[in-house]
Amino acid sequence: VFRGVETTVATLTVTAKDVDIPLGSSTPHEVAPLCALDPMDIKDKYVTELPIAILAEDTAGATDAAVKEETLVQPNCTVTLRITYKPSPKDQREELYELLNKTSQRKATALENLRKISMQAATSRSDTGGSPKAGGGSVAKPSVKPGFLNKGGKTPESEAGPWKKLYNRTIGPNSALRRGAFLAFAAKDFFIFFGAVTFFHFKGQLLAIPPPV
């Protein structure tokens, strides 16, 4: 069990023995691919099966040369390791942060490309259809003149007679008398309360019971 290993530079080498007889060792394998996280499917542990070829001691060092010469090196035996990787909460958090940063960068790039395409489309429209053609004929007049809705017209108040106007000003729904009466009715409880408090404060002795004779 390995803990706190820097997986970006660590390598794995397996040495095999038959009791006391050394059978050979494997070539170094990078640990980083075995400790890869899937940010879209976070798990408590990741299991990977890794086949490893055990080469003799005299041929283990010559493996690189054999690869360059494209010659086949026969291993003494082959073993399959089942490697279990349990990421720490810090590793999971860093992987999610990295995914979020990559997604944000792609989003910013897409928005920038969309802005450039929109600007190019607007520029092309202004160049082709922004001004009328020289010999294109007369320009059609608008059927509705701007500002026609702002013209003054007769309102129901202007058409009302003098008695209707007098009613609206005195006892109508929007008159000052109606509004004052509504405010007085809504605030009558406050007036009664504060009036009673003021009376008790200044003239409360008038309500006192005389002592018995």
Side-chain angles (χ1 to χ4, degrees):
V1 179
F2 298 95
R3 294 183 177 90
V5 177
E6 185 61 36
T7 58
T8 57
V9 296
T11 58
L12 175 66
T13 304
V14 180
T15 301
K17 291 183 179 182
D18 185 5
V19 189
D20 294 335
I21 301 174
L23 299 178
S25 60
S26 66
T27 57
H29 295 269
E30 295 183 357
V31 180
L34 304 176
C35 302
L37 293 177
D38 186 4
M40 303 304 296
D41 186 15
I42 299 296
K43 299 179 180 179
D44 294 336
K45 62 181 179 179
Y46 296 86
V47 180
T48 305
E49 292 186 355
L50 178 65
I52 296 178
I54 303 299
L55 305 175
E57 294 291 342
D58 54 348
T59 59
T63 304
D64 296 337
V67 171
K68 293 180 181 179
E69 296 177 0
E70 297 182 357
T71 58
L72 181 62
V73 178
Q74 187 68 26
N76 289 344
C77 60
T78 302
V79 296
T80 301
L81 300 181
R82 177 173 291 180
I83 300 174
T84 301
Y85 170 59
K86 294 182 178 180
S88 63
K90 180 181 178 182
D91 296 335
Q92 296 177 355
R93 185 168 58 253
E94 290 178 354
E95 189 69 22
L96 291 176
Y97 281 153
E98 185 177 357
L99 177 63
L100 179 61
N101 293 334
K102 291 181 180 179
T103 304
S104 301
Q105 292 176 0
R106 288 198 297 266
K107 180 180 179 181
T109 303
L111 291 176
E112 182 66 20
N113 294 336
L114 181 62
R115 186 182 65 84
K116 291 180 180 179
I117 293 174
S118 300
M119 293 180 61
Q120 292 176 359
T123 304
S124 61
R125 284 197 301 268
S126 62
D127 293 341
T128 56
S131 58
K133 297 182 180 179
S138 60
V139 180
K141 294 182 179 180
S143 58
V144 179
K145 295 182 179 180
F148 77 99
L149 293 176
N150 298 329
K151 293 182 178 181
K154 292 184 178 181
T155 61
E157 294 183 357
S158 61
E159 295 179 353
W163 295 106
K164 184 68 174 179
K165 293 180 180 179
L166 181 61
Y167 168 76
N168 292 332
R169 291 178 182 178
T170 54
I171 58 174
N174 296 325
S175 63
L177 182 60
R178 279 282 189 90
R179 294 179 180 178
F182 175 75
L183 293 177
F185 177 78
K188 65 181 180 62
D189 295 335
F190 295 97
F191 293 151
I192 295 172
F193 173 76
F194 287 108
V197 171
T198 304
F199 177 78
F200 292 155
H201 180 73
F202 293 101
K203 297 294 183 180
Q205 69 276 9
L206 298 178
L207 301 177
I209 300 175
V213 178

